[in-house]
Amino acid sequence: MKILPFIIATTLSLPALADRLPIPADAPPAFRTECGSCHFTFPPALLAADDWRRVMADLERHYGDNASLDDRTRRQIEDFLVRHAGSGRRVSGAGATDGVLPRLTFTRWFLKEHDEVPAAVWKDKAVGSAANCAACHTKAEQGSFREREIRMPGTGGGWRHERD
Amino acid sequence: MQRLIAFAFLAASGLAAADTPSRIADHYAAGASSKRGGEFYAREFGVSEKMPACTACHTDDPARPGRHAVTGKGIKPLSPSANPERFTDAAKVEKWFKRNCKEVVGRECTPGEKADFIAYVTEGR
């Protein structure tokens, strides 16, 4: 019977674990200063290694912006991303083809996780882009994406997730 | 000898920390004009679809916070009066000129354009 509280605690913490996507501790400082100055520092586990290589292969044409780096920094960041790249269900469907970069917001996992988000939220000025994680995930900068931390702009006073 | 090295190191770091907007502008070109800089800042280059002008991300007023036109991420104000960190690191300034000029202007900016730009976002703010 002593094991019951343990089982309950373990079961309850499972969804929370899936909601934790911290940036791995061995991130080079350039990851935050270069990638993070223009966009949210995406957890490397959200794209496959080959997709990260595609992204890093042509930074002059980076999703509609010039993000060119010196080669040493570029290599450093690519190594980090590939080292912690994801695999399986979470990264499939990112949509890379010849000349088209993958997007972690196109994966089946991402779309399923966000299928309840109203269209008005995506269009809200405070969001602007599906890549703007922190617009709704208020603790995203700390690597936490739990339901209870979600506040959606454009829903009249911060619409909260209904399952919360 | 060790003291000499320590002194040289301190002096070097002191120099690096002493970058100011006007020194960085002077380093690019003498005789910067904030008027020309303002015209440049507001010009529609139309090279990049999402970023046709500086104002696409930095707003019409460089003293106000901006927003990345593609990603939606917030951008701190360009003007040192609103954000004293700006134009205090010459290498960082050059990195961003290099990236953003290519994207927005479609080429590297000239030293004169860079000096004018700094004069504009710095002056009277």
Side-chain angles (χ1 to χ4, degrees), chain A:
Chain A
M1 207 54 196
K2 264 185 190 169
I3 200 164
L4 191 62
F6 174 75
I7 291 172
I8 292 170
T10 314
T11 315
L12 285 177
S13 66
L14 278 177
L17 280 177
D19 293 344
R20 291 278 311 157
L21 285 164
I23 299 305
D26 62 344
F31 178 66
R32 284 180 205 282
T33 54
E34 300 300 337
C35 314
S37 55
C38 291
H39 58 71
F40 183 76
T41 45
F42 306 116
L46 296 186
L47 275 184
D50 274 351
D51 280 339
W52 281 127
R53 288 192 191 97
R54 284 192 182 93
V55 171
M56 297 303 289
D58 186 6
L59 289 171
E60 287 222 358
R61 284 173 294 178
H62 185 72
Y63 304 94
D65 196 2
N66 185 323
S68 48
L69 295 171
D70 65 83
D71 200 56
R72 196 175 141 268
T73 311
R74 196 200 63 77
R75 170 67 60 183
Q76 222 178 24
I77 294 174
E78 180 178 302
D79 288 350
F80 163 72
L81 293 168
V82 167
R83 198 156 61 232
H84 297 284
S87 59
R89 201 179 66 87
R90 186 170 270 180
V91 300
S92 71
T97 55
D98 278 353
V100 178
L101 291 174
R103 286 176 187 267
L104 60 90
T105 54
F106 282 6
T107 61
R108 280 185 279 284
W109 170 80
F110 184 95
L111 294 175
K112 185 169 169 292
E113 289 290 320
H114 295 84
D115 62 0
E116 295 163 84
V117 178
V121 173
W122 296 118
K123 289 188 195 122
D124 193 88
K125 263 186 85 176
V127 178
S129 152
N132 194 4
C133 309
C136 302
H137 295 279
T138 57
K139 297 276 172 65
E141 299 282 356
Q142 291 89 54
S144 181
F145 294 83
R146 291 190 296 186
E147 302 263 358
R148 73 167 81 138
E149 293 154 2
I150 297 170
R151 299 288 180 277
M152 295 191 196
T155 51
W159 191 75
R160 292 180 61 166
H161 196 283
E162 59 196 27
R163 283 199 310 240
D164 197 17

Side-chain angles (χ1 to χ4, degrees), chain A residues 34 36-39 60 63-69 125-127 129 132 141, chain B residues 48 50-51 67-75 95-96 98-100 102-103:
Chain A
E34 300 300 337
S37 55
C38 291
H39 58 71
E60 287 222 358
Y63 304 94
D65 196 2
N66 185 323
S68 48
L69 295 171
K125 263 186 85 176
V127 178
S129 152
N132 194 4
E141 299 282 356
Chain B
S48 163
K50 290 267 181 80
M51 302 172 178
R67 185 179 288 278
H68 195 284
V70 176
T71 69
K73 188 176 168 102
I75 300 174
K95 180 183 83 181
W96 284 104
K98 198 170 178 188
R99 265 187 204 170
N100 291 348
K102 272 195 186 167
E103 183 62 33

Side-chain angles (χ1 to χ4, degrees), chain B residues 51-113:
Chain B
M51 302 172 178
C54 306
T55 56
C57 296
H58 296 291
T59 80
D60 291 341
D61 179 356
R64 303 182 67 142
R67 185 179 288 278
H68 195 284
V70 176
T71 69
K73 188 176 168 102
I75 300 174
K76 290 179 189 165
L78 276 177
S79 294
S81 64
N83 176 11
E85 273 182 37
R86 290 292 188 197
F87 304 103
T88 56
D89 178 343
K92 196 172 169 184
V93 171
E94 178 55 20
K95 180 183 83 181
W96 284 104
F97 270 134
K98 198 170 178 188
R99 265 187 204 170
N100 291 348
C101 289
K102 272 195 186 167
E103 183 62 33
V104 176
V105 186
R107 56 167 171 81
E108 295 217 15
C109 295
T110 66
E113 286 168 337

